[in-house]
Amino acid sequence: MKAFSIEQVTWSEAEPRLREVRAAVFMAEQGVPAELEWDGLDPMCVHFLALCAKGEAVGTARLTSDGHVGRMAVRAPWRGRGVGRSLMEAVLAAARRRGMRCVVLNAQVHAQGFYLRFGFTPEGGEFLDAGIPHLRMTRRL
């Protein structure tokens, strides 16, 4: 049995839990300003929440209606335990169910290898987002 589960959720039903993980990872760990993290798109996105066996939120990801994968975050103690992989599998399955032919994401450069393993391909050069080097990556479905 896995030590965690993945749920597809809406912003309205899971906002506090989604915010908790993203604030811990992006804002506290990486220094992303609140005005960049809370971009106003969340109510229109499909969200994924990783929950540990105790029911605590340990990871998140979101998918926009136009196929952008984003806000992929896993709390530090849960990294390297398959949470990110399970979140990405859930996002890709949801994109396929919605008939999307391609998904795109802006990967933090240090995480490029993770996305390459899922068949994402880099496009263009590095750019800064919230002061962090990123690469645009795409994947055909």
Side-chain angles (χ1 to χ4, degrees), residues 63-84:
L63 177 65
T64 66
S65 60
D66 64 353
H68 279 76
V69 178
R71 301 314 197 261
M72 181 92 145
V74 176
R75 288 180 172 271
W78 286 86
R79 293 178 196 147
R81 298 170 67 179
V83 175

mmCIF file of all heavy atoms in Angstrom, residues 63-84:
data_model
loop_
_atom_site.group_PDB
_atom_site.id
_atom_site.type_symbol
_atom_site.label_atom_id
_atom_site.label_comp_id
_atom_site.label_asym_id
_atom_site.label_seq_id
_atom_site.Cartn_x
_atom_site.Cartn_y
_atom_site.Cartn_z
ATOM 1 N N LEU A 63 -3.747 21.804 -13.748
ATOM 2 C CA LEU A 63 -3.833 21.753 -15.201
ATOM 3 C C LEU A 63 -4.828 22.820 -15.636
ATOM 4 O O LEU A 63 -5.979 22.827 -15.181
ATOM 5 C CB LEU A 63 -4.314 20.371 -15.650
ATOM 6 C CG LEU A 63 -4.529 20.154 -17.141
ATOM 7 C CD1 LEU A 63 -3.215 20.243 -17.913
ATOM 8 C CD2 LEU A 63 -5.206 18.806 -17.383
ATOM 9 N N THR A 64 -4.376 23.725 -16.512
ATOM 10 C CA THR A 64 -5.273 24.755 -17.022
ATOM 11 C C THR A 64 -6.086 24.205 -18.186
ATOM 12 O O THR A 64 -5.740 23.169 -18.768
ATOM 13 C CB THR A 64 -4.489 26.004 -17.498
ATOM 14 O OG1 THR A 64 -3.692 25.637 -18.628
ATOM 15 C CG2 THR A 64 -3.615 26.583 -16.390
ATOM 16 N N SER A 65 -7.135 24.909 -18.552
ATOM 17 C CA SER A 65 -8.001 24.444 -19.641
ATOM 18 C C SER A 65 -7.288 24.440 -20.990
ATOM 19 O O SER A 65 -7.695 23.735 -21.900
ATOM 20 C CB SER A 65 -9.257 25.317 -19.717
ATOM 21 O OG SER A 65 -8.891 26.662 -19.950
ATOM 22 N N ASP A 66 -6.190 25.212 -21.112
ATOM 23 C CA ASP A 66 -5.440 25.226 -22.372
ATOM 24 C C ASP A 66 -4.195 24.342 -22.339
ATOM 25 O O ASP A 66 -3.318 24.450 -23.192
ATOM 26 C CB ASP A 66 -5.099 26.656 -22.799
ATOM 27 C CG ASP A 66 -4.177 27.368 -21.818
ATOM 28 O OD1 ASP A 66 -3.903 26.818 -20.735
ATOM 29 O OD2 ASP A 66 -3.735 28.483 -22.137
ATOM 30 N N GLY A 67 -4.115 23.440 -21.348
ATOM 31 C CA GLY A 67 -3.054 22.438 -21.345
ATOM 32 C C GLY A 67 -1.753 22.828 -20.681
ATOM 33 O O GLY A 67 -0.729 22.196 -20.938
ATOM 34 N N HIS A 68 -1.764 23.809 -19.818
ATOM 35 C CA HIS A 68 -0.549 24.164 -19.075
ATOM 36 C C HIS A 68 -0.532 23.414 -17.744
ATOM 37 O O HIS A 68 -1.475 23.513 -16.962
ATOM 38 C CB HIS A 68 -0.480 25.666 -18.800
ATOM 39 C CG HIS A 68 0.013 26.447 -19.952
ATOM 40 N ND1 HIS A 68 -0.761 26.721 -21.063
ATOM 41 C CD2 HIS A 68 1.218 27.007 -20.194
ATOM 42 C CE1 HIS A 68 -0.050 27.424 -21.927
ATOM 43 N NE2 HIS A 68 1.147 27.606 -21.427
ATOM 44 N N VAL A 69 0.535 22.672 -17.522
ATOM 45 C CA VAL A 69 0.750 21.982 -16.256
ATOM 46 C C VAL A 69 1.545 22.933 -15.373
ATOM 47 O O VAL A 69 2.524 23.533 -15.824
ATOM 48 C CB VAL A 69 1.552 20.678 -16.466
ATOM 49 C CG1 VAL A 69 1.810 19.987 -15.140
ATOM 50 C CG2 VAL A 69 0.851 19.766 -17.456
ATOM 51 N N GLY A 70 1.139 23.065 -14.138
ATOM 52 C CA GLY A 70 1.880 23.978 -13.276
ATOM 53 C C GLY A 70 1.634 23.742 -11.810
ATOM 54 O O GLY A 70 0.883 22.858 -11.411
ATOM 55 N N ARG A 71 2.297 24.579 -11.023
ATOM 56 C CA ARG A 71 2.195 24.559 -9.560
ATOM 57 C C ARG A 71 2.416 23.162 -9.000
ATOM 58 O O ARG A 71 1.787 22.728 -8.064
ATOM 59 C CB ARG A 71 0.847 25.115 -9.089
ATOM 60 C CG ARG A 71 0.562 26.555 -9.535
ATOM 61 C CD ARG A 71 1.764 27.479 -9.306
ATOM 62 N NE ARG A 71 1.420 28.879 -9.337
ATOM 63 C CZ ARG A 71 1.592 29.681 -10.390
ATOM 64 N NH1 ARG A 71 2.087 29.206 -11.518
ATOM 65 N NH2 ARG A 71 1.279 30.960 -10.305
ATOM 66 N N MET A 72 3.371 22.442 -9.635
ATOM 67 C CA MET A 72 3.763 21.114 -9.176
ATOM 68 C C MET A 72 4.681 21.310 -7.979
ATOM 69 O O MET A 72 5.762 21.898 -8.108
ATOM 70 C CB MET A 72 4.496 20.408 -10.317
ATOM 71 C CG MET A 72 4.920 19.047 -9.969
ATOM 72 S SD MET A 72 3.637 17.927 -10.455
ATOM 73 C CE MET A 72 4.634 16.574 -10.929
ATOM 74 N N ALA A 73 4.234 20.859 -6.823
ATOM 75 C CA ALA A 73 4.998 21.069 -5.597
ATOM 76 C C ALA A 73 4.854 19.853 -4.684
ATOM 77 O O ALA A 73 3.753 19.331 -4.519
ATOM 78 C CB ALA A 73 4.481 22.309 -4.863
ATOM 79 N N VAL A 74 5.968 19.431 -4.105
ATOM 80 C CA VAL A 74 5.963 18.334 -3.136
ATOM 81 C C VAL A 74 6.742 18.813 -1.916
ATOM 82 O O VAL A 74 7.858 19.326 -2.047
ATOM 83 C CB VAL A 74 6.597 17.049 -3.728
ATOM 84 C CG1 VAL A 74 6.677 15.949 -2.677
ATOM 85 C CG2 VAL A 74 5.819 16.574 -4.948
ATOM 86 N N ARG A 75 6.148 18.653 -0.761
ATOM 87 C CA ARG A 75 6.821 19.051 0.484
ATOM 88 C C ARG A 75 8.128 18.278 0.640
ATOM 89 O O ARG A 75 8.204 17.097 0.313
ATOM 90 C CB ARG A 75 5.924 18.793 1.684
ATOM 91 C CG ARG A 75 4.764 19.752 1.793
ATOM 92 C CD ARG A 75 3.954 19.388 3.041
ATOM 93 N NE ARG A 75 2.942 20.363 3.329
ATOM 94 C CZ ARG A 75 3.137 21.444 4.097
ATOM 95 N NH1 ARG A 75 4.302 21.680 4.638
ATOM 96 N NH2 ARG A 75 2.132 22.280 4.320
ATOM 97 N N ALA A 76 9.136 18.949 1.145
ATOM 98 C CA ALA A 76 10.494 18.394 1.233
ATOM 99 C C ALA A 76 10.554 16.973 1.809
ATOM 100 O O ALA A 76 11.227 16.112 1.229
ATOM 101 C CB ALA A 76 11.405 19.342 2.011
ATOM 102 N N PRO A 77 9.903 16.657 2.914
ATOM 103 C CA PRO A 77 10.037 15.297 3.457
ATOM 104 C C PRO A 77 9.473 14.207 2.550
ATOM 105 O O PRO A 77 9.767 13.030 2.737
ATOM 106 C CB PRO A 77 9.241 15.341 4.776
ATOM 107 C CG PRO A 77 9.043 16.777 5.091
ATOM 108 C CD PRO A 77 9.099 17.516 3.781
ATOM 109 N N TRP A 78 8.672 14.590 1.568
ATOM 110 C CA TRP A 78 8.027 13.620 0.683
ATOM 111 C C TRP A 78 8.691 13.508 -0.676
ATOM 112 O O TRP A 78 8.275 12.700 -1.514
ATOM 113 C CB TRP A 78 6.543 13.978 0.544
ATOM 114 C CG TRP A 78 5.825 13.606 1.801
ATOM 115 C CD1 TRP A 78 5.699 14.365 2.934
ATOM 116 C CD2 TRP A 78 5.208 12.364 2.075
ATOM 117 N NE1 TRP A 78 5.025 13.656 3.890
ATOM 118 C CE2 TRP A 78 4.704 12.417 3.384
ATOM 119 C CE3 TRP A 78 5.020 11.194 1.339
ATOM 120 C CZ2 TRP A 78 4.033 11.353 3.975
ATOM 121 C CZ3 TRP A 78 4.349 10.145 1.919
ATOM 122 C CH2 TRP A 78 3.860 10.222 3.222
ATOM 123 N N ARG A 79 9.721 14.279 -0.920
ATOM 124 C CA ARG A 79 10.417 14.197 -2.215
ATOM 125 C C ARG A 79 11.190 12.883 -2.308
ATOM 126 O O ARG A 79 11.686 12.375 -1.323
ATOM 127 C CB ARG A 79 11.348 15.394 -2.384
ATOM 128 C CG ARG A 79 10.557 16.680 -2.517
ATOM 129 C CD ARG A 79 11.397 17.909 -2.648
ATOM 130 N NE ARG A 79 10.539 19.067 -2.389
ATOM 131 C CZ ARG A 79 10.937 20.185 -1.817
ATOM 132 N NH1 ARG A 79 12.210 20.351 -1.494
ATOM 133 N NH2 ARG A 79 10.083 21.151 -1.606
ATOM 134 N N GLY A 80 11.258 12.363 -3.535
ATOM 135 C CA GLY A 80 11.973 11.111 -3.761
ATOM 136 C C GLY A 80 11.185 9.878 -3.347
ATOM 137 O O GLY A 80 11.735 8.780 -3.294
ATOM 138 N N ARG A 81 9.896 10.042 -3.075
ATOM 139 C CA ARG A 81 9.060 8.922 -2.624
ATOM 140 C C ARG A 81 7.939 8.602 -3.607
ATOM 141 O O ARG A 81 7.010 7.876 -3.273
ATOM 142 C CB ARG A 81 8.498 9.232 -1.243
ATOM 143 C CG ARG A 81 9.623 9.384 -0.212
ATOM 144 C CD ARG A 81 9.162 9.925 1.116
ATOM 145 N NE ARG A 81 8.295 8.985 1.819
ATOM 146 C CZ ARG A 81 7.790 9.243 3.021
ATOM 147 N NH1 ARG A 81 8.075 10.367 3.647
ATOM 148 N NH2 ARG A 81 7.006 8.370 3.608
ATOM 149 N N GLY A 82 8.019 9.161 -4.826
ATOM 150 C CA GLY A 82 7.037 8.841 -5.856
ATOM 151 C C GLY A 82 5.838 9.772 -5.915
ATOM 152 O O GLY A 82 4.956 9.582 -6.748
ATOM 153 N N VAL A 83 5.793 10.780 -5.048
ATOM 154 C CA VAL A 83 4.649 11.691 -5.037
ATOM 155 C C VAL A 83 4.593 12.492 -6.335
ATOM 156 O O VAL A 83 3.547 12.585 -6.974
ATOM 157 C CB VAL A 83 4.694 12.629 -3.807
ATOM 158 C CG1 VAL A 83 3.560 13.654 -3.868
ATOM 159 C CG2 VAL A 83 4.624 11.825 -2.517
ATOM 160 N N GLY A 84 5.712 13.079 -6.740
ATOM 161 C CA GLY A 84 5.762 13.860 -7.974
ATOM 162 C C GLY A 84 5.386 13.017 -9.183
ATOM 163 O O GLY A 84 4.614 13.458 -10.044
#
